[in-house]
Amino acid sequence: MSTLSLKGPHWVTARQHRRVLVLSAAAVALSLVSMAWLRYWDSRTVGTDQDHGYALLRIAVDWAANGLLFVPLLVGAFVAGPLLARELESGTYKLALTQSVTPTRWLASKLLVAGAAAIAGTLVLIGTFRLGWANVEGTSMFQWYDQGVFAASGPVLVAHGLLAVGVGAVLGQLVRRTVVAMSAAGAVTGTVLLVLSTLRWDWLPVRTATAPFAPGGEVVAVVPDDARQAEAGLLTDTGERLEGWYCAEPFDPAYCRNDVTVASHFADYYPASYYWPLQLIETGICLVLAALAVYAAFRILRARHG
């Protein structure tokens, strides 16, 4: 972010934290260049005896998928600690308030710079991830529903970053101790995102596929290959789901328990068409939570500084 285009407290904020902003931009740019080079190497060596590019590309995409899960935690820790708590702890924020800058404008400038940097950085990181993911999509560990892939491949990562900004704004003012605020913001942000990832599969109804209980009646044959399977089992002739071990042989009624009549297999699954609806639902929830957190941050500011 260029400080030349910023004015007033926005310029001051960017100037104060220019080293972090520059290093973050450099890291994002390096990630993009590295992924583009691995993608190019893979395209040049595919089908040859020296096809090492694909293996390295898979490693890079795996690292990226797992690493991007922690980006919102770092954003929240930075906002809560160096951006807010450090100034409140040392009292340097009072200098800004003596320069005809209201407390509200002071906080708004901090959050605007942090939010703009989070949006720009996460958008580039999403593009970087999708650049590499395009060559390994649908293979083991890189399905659309895998935790890291889902978080790194769509707009939900941007929303996670903005939620972290809101959480950091609240905790930075409440804690007012740099290291403690950073730890608290990272922990709270991670907990919220963990809860959202757990609830993710409850937003849309699960689909169910069935197949006859007979040789060749594997239910996986009627479940799309790119679907996320949630649960599978047996159904009785009355439609009751059976839990536990009922048949020693999967498709031979002669090896089933005598107290039940197994009629078919079933499998619950989430189709790949759920990807974008789930992305948009979680993005919307995170944006609402971020807005509430920012509102709470301004309320805390007004209560303490008028």
Side-chain angles (χ1 to χ4, degrees):
M1 181 184 298
S2 174
T3 59
L4 297 177
S5 60
L6 300 175
K7 298 179 181 179
H10 304 91
W11 180 87
V12 173
T13 299
R15 182 72 176 172
Q16 285 178 318
H17 303 283
R18 62 188 182 279
R19 181 174 299 177
V20 173
L21 294 175
V22 170
L23 290 177
S24 299
V28 171
L30 179 62
S31 301
L32 177 59
V33 172
S34 301
M35 191 68 76
W37 179 76
L38 287 172
R39 171 80 180 268
Y40 173 74
W41 186 14
D42 177 38
S43 65
R44 290 293 302 270
T45 59
V46 63
T48 66
D49 294 336
Q50 298 180 346
D51 187 11
H52 305 301
Y54 182 75
L56 289 177
L57 182 64
R58 286 186 60 89
I59 294 174
V61 175
D62 184 37
W63 284 1
N66 293 307
L68 291 181
L69 291 172
F70 295 93
V71 168
L73 279 63
L74 296 177
V75 172
F78 170 75
V79 173
L83 196 66
L84 292 178
R86 186 169 65 186
E87 290 201 30
L88 295 172
E89 181 180 13
S90 63
T92 55
Y93 74 98
K94 297 177 182 179
L95 178 61
L97 301 184
T98 63
Q99 307 299 317
S100 301
V101 175
T102 64
T104 299
R105 190 181 178 198
W106 172 80
L107 179 58
S109 66
K110 300 285 186 184
L111 298 186
L112 181 62
V113 171
I119 292 173
T122 50
L123 284 175
V124 177
L125 289 174
I126 291 170
T128 300
F129 178 81
R130 294 189 72 94
L131 181 65
W133 183 45
N135 277 28
V136 299
E137 181 179 0
T139 61
S140 176
M141 299 189 305
F142 300 115
Q143 298 286 351
W144 65 271
Y145 50 79
D146 289 322
Q147 177 73 3
V149 172
F150 186 88
S153 61
V156 72
L157 183 63
V158 179
H160 288 174
L162 293 178
L163 174 60
V165 171
V167 171
V170 172
L171 293 178
Q173 292 188 83
L174 291 177
V175 178
R176 300 168 72 93
R177 294 293 183 270
T178 305
V179 176
V180 179
M182 293 176 68
S183 302
V188 171
T189 301
T191 301
V192 173
L193 297 183
L194 179 62
V195 171
L196 287 176
S197 67
T198 303
L199 298 176
R200 180 178 299 152
W201 306 107
D202 295 330
W203 306 129
L204 296 176
V206 67
R207 296 186 181 180
T208 302
T210 59
F213 186 71
E218 295 91 338
V219 72
V220 293
V222 295
V223 175
D225 293 335
D226 56 359
R228 177 184 183 270
Q229 185 168 314
E231 185 180 359
L234 302 173
L235 293 174
T236 67
D237 53 353
T238 61
E240 178 186 358
R241 293 191 174 194
L242 299 176
E243 298 180 359
W245 188 259
Y246 282 85
C247 302
E249 293 292 336
F251 306 106
D252 192 342
Y255 289 89
C256 295
R257 285 167 40 176
N258 297 326
D259 57 335
V260 295
T261 302
V262 179
S264 59
H265 292 267
F266 78 91
D268 293 336
Y269 68 97
Y270 299 91
S273 59
Y274 277 10
Y275 172 80
W276 280 110
L278 288 172
Q279 281 276 335
L280 296 178
I281 290 172
E282 188 167 331
T283 297
I285 293 173
C286 287
L287 292 179
V288 170
L289 293 177
L292 292 174
V294 170
Y295 175 76
F298 279 102
R299 293 284 294 181
I300 295 171
L301 183 71
R302 293 190 185 99
R304 290 184 172 178
H305 301 285

